[in-house]
Amino acid sequence: MDKPMNVCVLVGSLRKASFNGMLANALISLAPSSMKPDIVDIGQLPFYNQDLETDPPPAPWTAFRQRVKAADAVLFVTPEYNRSVPAVLKNALDVGSRPYGSSIWDRKPGAIVSGSPGAIGAFGANHHLRQSLVFLNVPTMQQPEAYVGHADKLFDEQGKLVSDGTRKFLQGFMQAFANWVETIQSQASASDGSQQARASAASG
């Protein structure tokens, strides 16, 4: 690619000292040069209510939809609340999926990292989110999986990653994600080219 991939990073925790926020920052710092990840705030999005889907809709919805639509890929970083994703992240999915027929998620490459002080690394939230992304037609990277457990022990007081093993794993994850995005984009380009060729042949 001529320029770095534009990657939106959505963090499912709003807490200032969030471990998943620290995890997101670590992922951004470990991304390969072919990627330009950027955290997109989802905490200001009004809860989805179709009554608000007016002309124009709420400004935060419009800005969010435009920002993600322009991205090459989306990285989700989430904690686990009651074996599921936080409401703020589910709301972002819902806002982005509407109005019907104009989803910003369709065919947008994605990946999920989940983190928790617990040992299983928010496994439940990770897979619950995957279920939604399947419906939204987000080609989500399957391997490597990223369940970051004991997240409360991985960062110093300034929020910097101090675990060399975790750093190596996350760096490999981000490289794999970059490869995944390139693969999906290549497949999409090939598919679009084939459709154009068939349309040209049919018109000829």
Side-chain angles (χ1 to χ4, degrees), residues 16 59 79 85 120 143 161 187:
K16 289 182 179 180
V85 296
I120 61 176
Q143 294 290 338
L161 186 64
Q187 291 174 350

Side-chain angles (χ1 to χ4, degrees), residues 19-20 23 77-80 113-118 121-122 126 146-151:
F19 296 124
N20 278 272
L23 185 55
V77 184
T78 184
E80 180 173 300
V113 178
S114 57
S116 168
N126 193 305
Y147 316 109
V148 182
H150 305 296

Side-chain angles (χ1 to χ4, degrees), residues 6 12 18 55-56 81 110 132 135:
N6 178 351
S18 161
D55 188 14
Y81 293 176
S132 293
F135 177 77

Side-chain angles (χ1 to χ4, degrees), residues 8-90:
C8 287
V9 181
L10 305 187
V11 182
S13 177
L14 302 181
R15 188 169 65 92
K16 289 182 179 180
S18 161
F19 296 124
N20 278 272
M22 297 176 191
L23 185 55
N25 287 328
L27 288 160
I28 290 171
S29 70
L30 294 169
S33 58
S34 60
M35 277 189 155
K36 185 181 179 183
D38 182 41
I39 293 177
V40 176
D41 181 22
I42 58 175
Q44 86 294 349
L45 296 175
F47 278 116
Y48 188 78
N49 177 349
Q50 193 169 351
D51 290 343
L52 301 180
E53 198 71 82
T54 55
D55 188 14
W61 287 6
T62 299
F64 175 72
R65 288 165 174 169
Q66 291 176 344
R67 176 66 184 87
V68 176
K69 190 174 183 63
D72 296 307
V74 182
L75 175 62
F76 300 89
V77 184
T78 184
E80 180 173 300
Y81 293 176
N82 303 312
R83 290 292 185 263
S84 186
V85 296
V88 67
L89 186 51
K90 179 58 167 63

